Amino acid sequence: MAAKKEALLSKQNRKLLSDPLNDNNPIAVQVLGICSALAITVQLKPAIVMSIAVLFVLAASNVIVSLLRNLIPNRIRIIVQLLIVASLVIIVDLSLQAYAYDVSKELSIFVGLIITNCIIMGRLEAFALANTPWKAFLDGIGNALGYGVILIIIAFFRELLGSGKLLGFEILGHSGKTIADSTGLYAMGYMNNGFMLLSPMALITMGIIIWVQRSKNRKLIEK
Amino acid sequence: MDRNSNAYTFLFAIIMVIVLGASLAFIAESTKEARKRNVELEKKQNILSAIGVNVSRDQAELDFDTYIKKQLTVKSDGSIDTLVNAFTIELKKEVKRATEDQSLPLYIAEKDGKTYYIVPLYGAGLWDAIWGYIGLDSDENTIIGAVFDHKGETAGLGAEINQSWYEDQYIGDKIMDENGNFVSVKAIKGGTPLSNLHGVDAISGGTITSDGVTDMVEERLARYIPYFKNN
């Protein structure tokens, strides 16, 4: 028999959760999943809902693939993984449409886009195929959180600077047709930066996040 | 069994597809009723909000019967087709048919003793379908409410068409000019003063969706003009 059973949250397992948040962040370090980081970060709410959906799909597909890892024929493993991810996404989509209609409307096409999220295939291929289900589960949660954190940071700045709102609340005051009907900052002549709403600013915000992260975390700087 | 053999690979693939296919079919079938009901209630909710009645989805069922007095199927020459139930018409299919073959649903509502007309819309945005409802006052000219929605426009840009700041711009605008000719209401890039009765501000960064709304409103409303002229 193998040595003493590993504790559920041993140091090594905790690292599976915390690594993707910083040292091995799927977006900022591995630069995967950029497409959705651009597409759904105009507002905070869809970014949060997307992060939760990815969390579910990534954790569940990691566990399923890990359970089947000794059965999946090597030659068709990619297509098997794709099939599992696609089925999970369809299940999420149908359940949302039936029982959480408003959330499903909020996410619209982005649920389907989870299938093409490179982070998911990347984790299945690199981790779930070679590790036990519990470890795969933690890895899935960790990576989805790492993805969600970046998404939410970008969405925070884009919604705040682009529309002066957070989660739909006008926190910088109300912007009326003229300065006279405006309140808060807008009454002093402040204007929203429409450029923040466009995709290039998501990339630039992302670049700034990577810069800040690397200046704090010297390990990540390539020689 | 050898896991690298062709037989195993085929067997695995077949079992996998059958298991996943069956479970997806099961889930799709068991949520079907709930999904259909959500869509139907939302349609009623949208129709009501085009005449300024904003209610929750659950309340929409009751209020729909209270306010909506008539559901007509109008033909392109302005006559009424009594054989088709207006609520069940799928505009998605109708818009693909030749103009003269289209069945046009029209809802006639009564609120506070006044008659209102609600015209359903259907068109194309940037990525996918857009649709909506326009409520017209009893003069068949002044817009009293507009509701838009979309399948997959970009969040924060084109998707803003379903926000009240965009929809409310249509209120008070007119679809006919002073001489009674149909001119529709256009979404104008770069903005337009409130006094413009035939234009609203387009969405920054959502030009193609805004143009889609302009085309949809113009194309759909134009088909009802023969009916409005007759009545």
Side-chain angles (χ1 to χ4, degrees):
Chain A
M1 269 310 278
K4 195 173 79 192
K5 199 165 175 270
E6 204 182 350
L8 276 185
L9 282 175
S10 63
K11 197 173 171 205
Q12 214 193 343
N13 282 350
R14 280 203 305 272
K15 220 170 137 48
L16 288 177
L17 273 179
S18 61
D19 243 18
L21 289 178
N22 187 2
D23 289 358
N24 206 4
N25 188 288
I27 299 188
V29 178
Q30 298 174 19
V31 200
L32 292 175
I34 293 291
C35 358
S36 50
L38 300 187
I40 50 161
T41 49
V42 176
Q43 288 168 331
L44 205 43
K45 198 172 159 200
I48 293 172
V49 183
M50 179 70 167
S51 306
I52 296 170
V54 167
L55 185 82
F56 170 78
V57 173
L58 186 50
S61 58
N62 249 3
V63 170
I64 294 173
V65 169
S66 168
L67 284 171
L68 295 174
R69 69 186 186 283
N70 295 322
L71 294 174
I72 299 176
N74 200 33
R75 276 178 294 174
I76 55 165
R77 65 180 198 285
I78 300 274
I79 207 146
V80 169
Q81 292 163 12
L82 201 62
L83 209 59
I84 293 171
V85 177
S87 308
L88 282 169
V89 168
I90 294 171
I91 291 173
V92 171
D93 193 22
L94 289 177
S95 330
L96 288 178
Q97 279 177 29
Y99 307 111
Y101 192 64
D102 295 303
V103 178
S104 127
K105 284 187 57 97
E106 192 70 41
L107 279 178
S108 61
I109 52 166
F110 298 118
V111 176
L113 286 183
I114 297 174
I115 301 173
T116 60
N117 192 322
C118 358
I119 296 172
I120 294 183
M121 289 298 284
R123 292 329 291 170
L124 295 181
E125 186 65 12
F127 197 88
L129 274 177
N131 286 282
T132 55
W134 174 246
K135 283 196 164 136
F137 176 73
L138 291 179
D139 179 76
I141 300 275
N143 275 284
L145 289 177
Y147 166 81
V149 164
I150 302 288
L151 225 62
I152 289 166
I153 296 175
I154 299 177
F156 174 86
F157 286 111
R158 287 183 78 189
E159 188 173 0
L160 183 68
L161 302 176
S163 7
K165 297 177 190 167
L166 282 179
L167 288 170
F169 294 107
E170 297 178 315
I171 60 158
L172 299 181
H174 177 73
S175 159
K177 282 252 166 205
T178 61
I179 288 194
D181 0 294
S182 304
T183 57
L185 276 182
Y186 295 102
M188 291 183 266
Y190 172 81
M191 280 166 89
N192 288 326
N193 184 349
F195 196 39
M196 285 305 285
L197 297 175
L198 304 177
S199 306
M201 279 317 283
L203 264 188
I204 292 171
T205 315
M206 189 67 229
I208 295 173
I209 292 174
I210 293 179
W211 171 41
V212 170
Q213 190 196 11
R214 284 179 196 219
S215 70
K216 298 259 177 220
N217 191 342
R218 314 298 281 181
K219 268 188 298 205
L220 296 176
I221 300 172
E222 287 105 9
K223 297 256 155 48
Chain B
M1 200 168 174
D2 176 14
R3 286 208 292 124
N4 284 322
S5 70
N6 285 346
Y8 180 82
T9 306
F10 273 112
L11 190 70
F12 186 91
I14 291 168
I15 294 176
M16 186 91 193
V17 168
I18 292 175
V19 170
L20 288 178
S23 49
L24 285 185
F26 173 75
I27 291 172
E29 201 55 39
S30 57
T31 56
K32 197 173 170 187
E33 282 307 308
R35 283 184 289 131
K36 218 174 114 190
R37 197 175 147 71
N38 280 335
V39 171
E40 210 177 283
L41 285 181
E42 193 195 21
K43 185 172 174 183
K44 292 187 170 173
Q45 189 187 21
N46 283 338
I47 291 174
L48 287 177
S49 74
I51 52 164
V53 179
N54 293 307
V55 290
S56 70
R57 254 204 319 278
D58 296 322
Q59 182 65 27
E61 180 91 85
L62 294 169
D63 283 9
F64 187 79
D65 297 331
T66 318
Y67 289 105
I68 305 298
K69 296 297 175 198
K70 271 194 230 161
Q71 303 181 26
L72 299 178
T73 303
V74 178
K75 289 164 111 170
S76 55
D77 57 3
S79 63
I80 290 170
D81 184 345
T82 49
L83 298 173
V84 184
N85 176 358
F87 196 77
T88 58
I89 293 175
E90 285 184 60
L91 272 184
K92 188 181 177 176
K93 290 182 185 150
E94 293 300 319
V95 292
K96 293 199 182 112
R97 300 170 67 176
T99 313
E100 58 278 6
D101 296 337
Q102 291 189 14
S103 298
L104 310 165
L106 177 70
Y107 302 93
I108 300 181
E110 244 178 70
K111 190 177 127 190
D112 310 324
K114 280 181 78 180
T115 307
Y116 297 105
Y117 300 87
I118 301 154
V119 176
L121 312 168
Y122 190 94
L126 171 58
W127 302 113
D128 215 318
I130 52 176
W131 59 90
Y133 298 89
I134 291 254
L136 295 175
D137 209 340
S138 33
D139 62 0
E140 299 164 355
N141 181 8
T142 314
I143 295 178
I144 59 150
V147 185
F148 300 109
D149 214 341
H150 63 94
K151 188 164 177 203
E153 299 307 297
T154 319
L157 304 174
E160 293 283 302
I161 57 167
N162 64 12
Q163 300 294 307
S164 56
W165 74 262
Y166 183 76
E167 294 168 343
D168 291 352
Q169 298 185 91
Y170 284 82
I171 297 174
D173 282 3
K174 292 183 189 300
I175 62 170
M176 309 282 196
D177 65 10
E178 298 77 19
N179 307 320
N181 297 315
F182 176 65
V183 287
S184 185
V185 177
K186 296 179 168 55
I188 295 165
K189 193 173 174 171
T192 179
L194 271 177
S195 55
N196 181 350
L197 289 181
H198 304 295
V200 296
D201 281 359
I203 298 166
S204 314
T207 305
I208 298 180
T209 310
S210 306
D211 289 349
V213 174
T214 301
D215 292 345
M216 169 175 80
V217 170
E218 184 167 358
E219 199 260 346
R220 294 321 299 170
L221 280 176
R223 303 194 186 281
Y224 289 84
I225 301 303
Y227 171 82
F228 288 140
K229 290 255 159 80
N230 289 350
N231 288 268

